[in-house]
Structures are given as structure tokens and as C-alpha cells.
Amino acid sequence: METIAGASIDALKLLISFDADLWQIIWVSYSVSMRAIFFAAPLAIVCAYLLAFQRFFLRQTIILLLETWLALPAVVVGLTLYIMLSRSGPLGDWGLLFTQKAMVIGQMILAFPIIAAMAFAVFKGCDERIRETTITLGIPQWKALLITVRELRFGILAAVVAGFGRIIAEVGCALMVGGNILNYTRNMTTAIALETSKGSFSGGIALGMVLLITALSLNYVVFKFGSDRNHLL
Amino acid sequence: MKPAILKVSELSRSYNGHRVFNDFKFSLTEGDSILLQGENGSGKTTILKILSGLLEPSSGKFIIGNSRAAEYKSVRPALVEQSIYLHQQPFLFDTSVENNLLYAGKSNSALTQAAQAKLTRLFGIDDLLAKNAANLSIGQKQRVALTRSLIYNPRLLMLDEPFTAIDKESFVSSVKALQQYRDRGGTILLVSHQHDRSFELIDKCWCIHPRGVLFCVSAA
């Protein structure tokens, strides 16, 4: 108990003193995950929209695959990407293994199915008058997509936040394709695993606190956004 | 004699094996103003949605203008292009009333700026233009949605209970605007349970019999 209390106090000191190594790790985490979300979210939302409102060949199969993809473990994505990007792999010439770009690609693959599946559910469950009004007013498909996303922004934001929540907290893929290199690819989760294995709990607890604060902040944003819309607060 | 803009035959629609109507045949002529009557669940809204290109029928043959009879899938883009469907509870986008009026995919058939301004004045919504449409009352929403539909000036206007929340004064303006639209050659297909209020506007009445037969009576 004393160990936990002492480590927690040390963790707070590390955070408050703006320990350079610690904050570099936090920066890597946010930088990589934000880039992954930036690229994955628009693709996933467009994909969800098309699956929800268009009828095309293999649509049902794609929906089934998407839902299966949700259950894909991060380490399996990491392993597949490792094989693809390693020197002897088909994409080895790109020289991406153990770089932040590889981590971004891995996190995009992890975030995509969550955002797409949640956005799909939002689109499928929306008021059918939105869709019918955009059609009857002759609004072009791309503009109808933007209007629909705007109308359903609370649900879509929740999907994006859920995707971000998954990738900022994942460890398997980041460790395998990032390599946990200090000041380059070491992020919060890989650092926590490393610090724990060394028996140095304070750094791990500090990073754990940041992850918890991140989760709390994201949930607050979604809650506040939704509450403002529904005039609950 | 005015030309038929749409002829429909063998029109049927079923939901989950339950037949709503079967083998309907009718035609719409330029300037028609038709009240569609029937019991709840008889398929009035379904007919409006099919003719607006929003709902696929189980079967049906369609002739638009002088073209050949065709299946629904091939005429659907033309149905969407020439008609506007107004919901019983109209949907306005979560933005200003002005922006709602400006969402204009069909802007090629839109009225002039002056005519649009005249319409907004006629419907009494010129002082609502800056307001968010989501915060309007149902009656105000119906007036805005009617204005939006008339601004796009479609050939066919499908109105599903458009006057339920509109006050008497606004109703008079609405009928006046719709009469002007009809006089310009526009065709109106109206579903309304407020028959006494709608008779000023219509010249034909179609009734859907509970056994699924569509027949026509003159409003005069």
C-alpha cells in the first residue's frame, strides 16, 4: 500500500515538474493517435454512409466483415503489419518499421472498424426524414453526406471519440511496429509496460493518470456536446 | 386539353407480405390539384412517396411526359427531379431558416430572387430568416417547408397533411400561394384530413377504398 501511495506521489511530482522524458512520451501518444484519427475518421464515416444508404454488390458481406474486424486484437494487427513492413516483407522497401508512420497506419486499422461500425449504426437509426428530405430537394450525394453528418454530429462525434479511446490505449500494435524507441516511438502504453517490467511504478502511474484524464475529458466533451444539444445542462 | 405529365398503371405495394394496394391506375395532368383520401393505413403517404421517387413500389409501370412505359428503377431519377415531397411533420435542417431555403439541388428550376422574397413575405416567414429552424414551432416549420417547396418550383408537389398546425391566417396565405403555383402549371397531390379547409384548393378528389380500389370524384 505504501508502495502505491509513494509511487502515486512520485507520479504527481513527475507530471507537475514537467519531466521532459515523460511529456515527450505523452506528446508521441497524442501526435500518433491524432494523426491516425485524422485519416481514419473521414474514411470510416464515408464508408458507413455508403453502407447505410446505398445498395450495391457485396454490401452485406462488407457489413459482416466490418463487424468481424471490430473483434480483431491489436497484437494481430501489429503482427500482420510487422510481417508486411519488415525488411523481408512485401512493403519492406518503404522502411517504415519502427517509425511513427507505422504506428499511425496500425492505429488507423484499429480505429477504422470502430468508427465505421458505430457511424453505420447512427446512420441506420436516424430519422428517415433527413435522408428523404435531401433526396427530394435534389441535394447532391456529397452534400447530402455533409448535411447528414451535421444533423447526426453527436452520434458521429461519439463514434470518433470511441475510436480515439481505443487507439490511445492500445499497446500491442504500437509495441510491435513502433519498437518502443525512447523519444521517437515510445508512447504512454508501451512506456507503462516497460516501466512496470523494470519495477519503476511512478512513471507508469503518471502515464496511467494521463490516460484516465484523457478518457474523462473525451467523455466530458461528448456528454457536454450532447447535453447542450438537448438542453440538459 | 392539358398534357399528362405522369401516367401510372399496375401500381402495387406490399409491406412484409401485407398488400397495401393493388393495381392502381391513374394519370396526373399539368395544373391538376388533387386531394387523396382514404382511411389510415390505406396507402396515401405510400403513393406520395412512390411518385416522389422515395419509395420503391412492388410493381408498376410509369410514363413520364411522352416517354415509353418504364419500370420504377429507370424512371426514379426523373421522378425525384420533377417532384418534391413534403412530410406530415416537415424536416428542417439544424441551421438558419434562410439556409434551409437555400439548400438548392434543384436550383435550375428555382424562382427568381424577387419571387422568392415575395413567397417568404406571403408565408410570413421573412422575420424568421435568421432564426435556427430547429427552434421553430410546428406551425412555423410547416410554413417554412411549404415556402421551401414552392421556391424550388417543382412540376409535382406532394403534400402530406401540410396544414395540420397552421393557423387560419397562414392557411389563407398558403392556399393563395398554392393556387398561384397551380396556375403557373404546377401539379398538386394533397393528403389532408382537413377536407373543409382544403376544398378551396382542389379540383379533383381521389378516394382509396378499403378494398384497395382507387376511384376519382370531382371536387366541384
Side-chain angles (χ1 to χ4, degrees), chain A residues 63-124:
Chain A
I63 292 169
L64 187 68
L65 288 174
L66 186 68
E67 282 164 3
T68 308
W69 192 355
L70 276 172
L72 199 65
V75 282
V76 175
V77 174
L79 174 68
T80 311
L81 210 53
Y82 185 95
I83 294 168
M84 301 285 281
L85 297 176
S86 62
R87 202 170 287 177
S88 57
L91 305 177
D93 292 344
W94 292 5
L96 290 178
L97 194 62
F98 303 139
T99 65
Q100 287 189 3
K101 282 180 185 168
M103 292 168 76
V104 169
I105 294 168
Q107 292 195 353
M108 278 177 67
I109 295 169
L110 287 169
F112 181 89
I114 292 182
I115 302 172
M118 284 183 71
F120 174 72
V122 170
F123 287 132
K124 284 300 281 183

Side-chain angles (χ1 to χ4, degrees), chain A residues 193-207:
Chain A
L194 182 70
E195 295 295 310
T196 307
S197 68
K198 289 194 301 187
S200 166
F201 298 119
S202 55
I205 290 173
L207 292 168

Side-chain angles (χ1 to χ4, degrees), chain A residues 129 132 136 138 150-151 153, chain B residues 85 87 89 94 105-106:
Chain A
R129 291 176 305 158
E132 289 177 347
T136 203
R150 186 187 146 84
E151 292 298 319
R153 54 192 179 275
Chain B
Y85 170 73
H87 292 89
Q89 288 181 313
D94 190 2
K106 294 175 180 170

Side-chain angles (χ1 to χ4, degrees), chain B residues 1 12-13 24 30 49 63 74 77-78 87 101 117 124 131 139 144-145 149 163 170 175 178 191-192 199 209 212:
Chain B
M1 187 172 166
S12 304
R13 171 71 194 184
F24 277 6
E30 200 178 283
K49 285 192 175 182
I63 301 174
S74 53
H87 292 89
L101 298 180
K131 285 192 175 173
V144 172
S149 302
F163 311 125
S170 301
V175 168
L178 288 167
V191 169
S192 176
F199 271 113
H209 191 271

